[in-house]
Amino acid sequence: MAAQRQATIVAEVNSRGAITVAELVDRFGVSDMTIRRDLDALDSSGLLHKVHGGATSVGLRSAHEPGFDAKLTQESGAKQAIAAEAAHRVQPDSAIGIGAGTTTYALARQLLRVENLTVVTNSARIADVFHGNARSDRTVVLIGGIRTPSDALVGPIATAALGSLHLDLLFLGAHGVDAEHGLSTPNLMEAETNRSFIAASREVVVVADHTKWGTVGLSTFATWADLDVIITDDGLSTPARKAMRDTGCELVIAS
């Protein structure tokens, strides 16, 4: 219950920008002290800023990058729905790229039964999903590099490796999704690595839950012209859906 409550708190703060302790006490029917402990834990994880009387979003800080474990439980239901929808697009005998992230991590688990699959990833966690369920008709290529707080391997080594590859399909997550600024990340090297992933891929699919909408990180790594499909969840607002469709990118709502 605490994990579910905290995930809801983070989603609410990201949506509104700020919230008070009194509002959270009233919403969840728990004590003031319980909410303050929740905010302490979420602040320590980097998911929000605890302030006097409440909390504010970290989304306004374009260079902030929460860790993988801190993001793993956030919007977990939406991520599972998105991953299931995305998995339908993967055919046997494909060479696919999977960028680092918690939604792409959920996708990796959905792909364990796909036959004759070659997977290129810059996430040790995603590679471990496949190695933990090894099969002779699967090849997993883990690209090396410098590890980021979100457990992506990035930098010149990763970029150089991707330059010689040709992928049928790429799945990427994003720190931020915005109608004007496209896809963005707080990490400059991760942005460069993602650009190399995109350049190596025939089709690019973005997997991002609705809380990413309207967030802008330090560096844009893809404009809408670079993308083919974006898969999100049914929590996306009507104005955001219209804005996404106006980009010309195919919008898929997972449910």
Side-chain angles (χ1 to χ4, degrees):
M1 292 298 294
Q4 294 174 355
R5 185 175 62 248
Q6 290 174 13
T8 303
I9 291 171
V10 172
E12 190 72 12
V13 171
N14 285 341
S15 174
R16 296 173 50 184
I19 201 165
T20 68
V21 170
E23 288 174 308
L24 294 171
V25 167
D26 183 63
R27 174 165 183 171
F28 294 108
V30 296
S31 69
D32 176 283
M33 186 60 66
T34 295
I35 293 298
R36 292 184 187 279
R37 283 197 296 266
D38 285 340
L39 297 183
D40 283 335
L42 294 169
D43 182 272
S44 297
S45 298
L47 290 172
L48 52 71
H49 294 304
K50 184 181 179 184
V51 297
H52 181 69
T56 61
S57 171
V58 298
L60 299 177
R61 295 170 56 198
S62 61
H64 177 78
E65 185 175 9
F68 183 95
D69 290 327
K71 295 186 292 184
L72 190 58
T73 58
Q74 188 177 0
E75 297 296 331
S76 59
K79 291 173 182 177
Q80 293 299 327
I82 292 167
E85 180 67 37
H88 293 315
R89 295 177 176 266
V90 179
Q91 300 298 319
D93 302 304
S94 297
I96 68 169
I98 307 180
T102 52
T103 307
T104 48
Y105 177 77
L107 170 61
R109 294 178 174 275
Q110 296 278 346
L111 298 178
L112 292 176
R113 295 184 180 179
V114 179
E115 298 177 347
N116 299 316
L117 191 63
T118 297
V119 178
V120 178
T121 184
N122 66 329
S123 166
R125 299 219 190 196
I126 288 173
D128 284 345
V129 168
F130 292 109
H131 288 311
N133 192 284
R135 49 188 300 165
S136 60
D137 62 345
R138 183 193 300 129
T139 300
V140 179
V141 179
L142 176 61
I143 293 173
I146 299 168
R147 186 175 179 178
T148 71
S150 58
D151 274 2
L153 298 175
V154 301
I157 294 174
T159 300
L162 288 166
S164 63
L165 300 179
H166 305 281
L167 303 172
D168 298 309
L169 186 60
L170 170 65
F171 295 97
L172 281 179
H175 170 80
V177 181
D178 183 77
E180 179 181 356
H181 300 285
L183 306 186
S184 59
T185 173
N187 190 294
L188 292 173
M189 286 196 293
E190 184 167 18
E192 185 62 30
T193 300
N194 284 346
R195 291 185 199 108
S196 297
F197 251 132
I198 291 168
S201 304
R202 184 180 305 162
E203 182 179 1
V204 181
V205 179
V206 179
V207 288
D209 70 75
H210 72 279
T211 65
K212 306 298 181 66
W213 180 259
T215 298
V216 179
L218 180 63
S219 179
T220 292
F221 62 84
T223 66
W224 293 103
D226 298 317
L227 310 173
D228 298 291
V229 182
I230 181 163
I231 304 176
T232 187
D233 63 280
D234 56 11
L236 190 69
S237 68
T238 299
R241 295 186 192 203
K242 181 181 185 305
M244 276 196 189
R245 289 192 177 101
D246 288 345
T247 67
C249 187
E250 179 188 352
L251 175 64
V252 178
I253 304 295
S255 57

